């Protein structure tokens, strides 16, 4: 049963978190490529990207963030079946996952929505806003990368990994 739960947990992480990290990383640049978005702070406005692309990337982030709830649920079930719920590497992973989820919910998704609203309303978007979104997205991605490494390396684990 543990191997089955672990397989589901890893698949959920790949299929749910992966699209969010990629789409969220692409969104700030996509916003900068929309011609109306080019005003304060630079950018050339060239490119075939439009508001529809930004809307699609944001939708991917929202939908897959919701599906991402399966990752910690399956993770807890896997950890319980392995008997490692109190291990330091798991507690650190849980904490970093909670921080990543909070960052996504409080900073990344709302800022994406703000930028999308500005573009939809044909309002100019300052480059600083897209840079700030890119920063929050980068921190979110770094947190997930750290969790991934902790899940693989499992410092102090006695399971031989």
């Amino acid at each position: 049963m543990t191997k089955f739960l672990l397989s589901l947990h890893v698949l959920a992480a790949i299929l749910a978190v992966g699209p969010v990290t990629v789409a969220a990383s692409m969104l700030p640049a996509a916003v900068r490529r929309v011609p109306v978005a080019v005003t304060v702070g630079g950018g050339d406005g060239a490119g075939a990207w439009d508001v529809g692309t930004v809307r699609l990337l944001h939708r991917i982030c929202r939908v897959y963030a919701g599906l991402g709830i399966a990752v910690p649920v399956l993770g807890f079930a896997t950890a319980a079946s392995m008997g490692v719920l109190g291990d330091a590497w798991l507690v650190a992973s849980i904490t970093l996952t909670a921080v990543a989820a909070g960052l996504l919910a409080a900073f990344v998704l709302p800022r994406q929505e703000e930028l999308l609203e500005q573009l939809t309303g044909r309002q100019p978007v300052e480059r600083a806003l897209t840079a700030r979104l890119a920063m929050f997205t980068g921190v979110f991605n770094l947190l997930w990368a750290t969790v991934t490494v902790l899940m693989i390396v499992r410092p102090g684990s006695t399971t031989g990994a």
Side-chain angles (χ1 to χ4, degrees), residues 3-97:
K3 289 181 181 181
F4 177 71
L5 287 171
L6 180 60
S7 296
L8 289 179
H9 173 62
V10 170
L11 281 171
I14 292 168
L15 297 175
V17 178
V20 175
T21 59
V22 172
S25 295
M26 293 174 65
L27 195 133
V31 169
R32 288 191 290 266
R33 288 187 178 100
V34 175
V36 72
V38 179
T39 56
V40 182
D44 62 5
W49 294 53
D50 63 358
V51 177
T53 301
V54 176
R55 188 176 288 113
L56 175 64
L57 292 171
H58 175 60
R59 183 171 182 197
I60 289 168
C61 290
R62 262 185 323 149
V63 169
Y64 283 89
L67 296 174
I69 299 297
V71 177
V73 170
L74 290 166
F76 275 112
T78 303
S81 73
M82 292 173 66
V84 295
L85 281 173
D87 287 8
W89 63 269
L90 186 66
V91 173
S93 294
I94 291 168
T95 302
L96 292 174
T97 298

